[in-house]
Amino acid sequence: MSRQQRDALDAVLRSVPRSKTQPTPEEQRGDFSAAITRPVPEGMVTRRTVLGGRPTLELEPAGASGPGRLLYLHGGGYVVGSPDTHAGLVGELARRAGLRALSVDYRLAPEHPFPAAVDDGLAAYRELLAAGTDPRDLVLAGDSAGGGLSIATLLAAREAGLPQPAAVVVFSPWTDLTLSGESIRSKEDADPLFTEADIRAYADLYVGAGDRAHPLASPVLADLTGLPPLLVQVGANEVLLDDAVRLAARAGADDVEVTLEIGPGLPHVFQHHYGRLDEADAALDRAARFLTAHLNAGHPDADRPEPVR
């Protein structure tokens, strides 16, 4: 993998000017959208639909067939982001896995604080099952806050007595809103995107005076027993490194099949940089293989198409 690519990306991320005053949520949303939105992959069909009562973007890669479905929950600190900002990333993961994807526009804070996002994730998951989707044909994925939300959604589903999906993949998951991970402080200089103050500001908007240790707000503190096979990918150069490492450790301790991948020299949700960072493309390929392998394991006799590469 290219050290030159990693260094160039780090320099670009550090060159973004930081506001001297705290921008409003609306200003943050506009800036975030302008910074990360990428087009869907060529040949991808998109449709606007509704799932669990929330607007949802459906993405269908060329040649996708079969019952497999990917439910995606986007990142953005529970304050910014949308299916549109993440359409490129979700589309790339869906294309590589050969799966139809559904990206949910869950409600954002501060207008809709915790647990609104979890309620929306659970409602979307519940509707897919109620519509006849076999849980063995369903996988989840999410990045950053959406990674934590993916785990929280599955915990809420477990508590509601719903079956678990075939697998879940999380990219740089934010899983501890108490900010107790050591990397929140030790990785500040290495992280080109976030400081402890940035993360704390998002937590303030999402949870406010609520219980930040609640297992659906900080799933790294939850009992993860019964969750499906889990793949965690994270960069070494990010303040949320320990959120990912401790999530994997907790999952393993709770007898969940888990794979942890730490990319040296890589920033938060480096997968967004597919097509210009070798590590991002390789990570998305591994994530796609992980999802399809567990979908196939649920139907060992099924004749499934090969993932689209």
Side-chain angles (χ1 to χ4, degrees), residues 148-159:
L149 180 56
S150 295
I151 303 300
T153 294
L154 295 183
L155 292 172
R158 184 190 65 187
E159 295 309 304

Side-chain angles (χ1 to χ4, degrees), residues 46-51 55-59 82-84 87 103 105:
T46 61
R47 306 179 189 89
R48 302 287 177 177
T49 185
V50 176
L51 187 65
T56 297
L57 182 65
E58 183 176 359
L59 303 99
S82 70
D84 289 330
S103 183
D105 193 10

Side-chain angles (χ1 to χ4, degrees), residues 157-209:
R158 184 190 65 187
E159 295 309 304
L162 299 175
Q164 293 290 302
V168 56
V169 168
V170 291
F171 305 140
S172 301
W174 186 24
T175 62
D176 180 10
L177 273 67
T178 72
L179 278 62
S180 62
E182 178 57 32
S183 63
I184 287 286
R185 288 156 288 279
S186 66
K187 288 289 184 176
E188 270 203 339
D189 290 341
D191 193 322
L193 286 170
F194 298 115
T195 65
E196 177 184 359
D198 296 328
I199 304 301
R200 189 175 302 280
Y202 282 128
D204 289 345
L205 290 172
Y206 182 49
V207 184

Side-chain angles (χ1 to χ4, degrees), residues 19-20 37 65 90 92 141 182 216 220 231 237 283 305:
S19 175
K20 294 181 180 180
T37 301
S65 62
V90 179
E92 279 294 317
E182 178 57 32
L216 298 184
V220 74
L231 171 63
N237 287 7

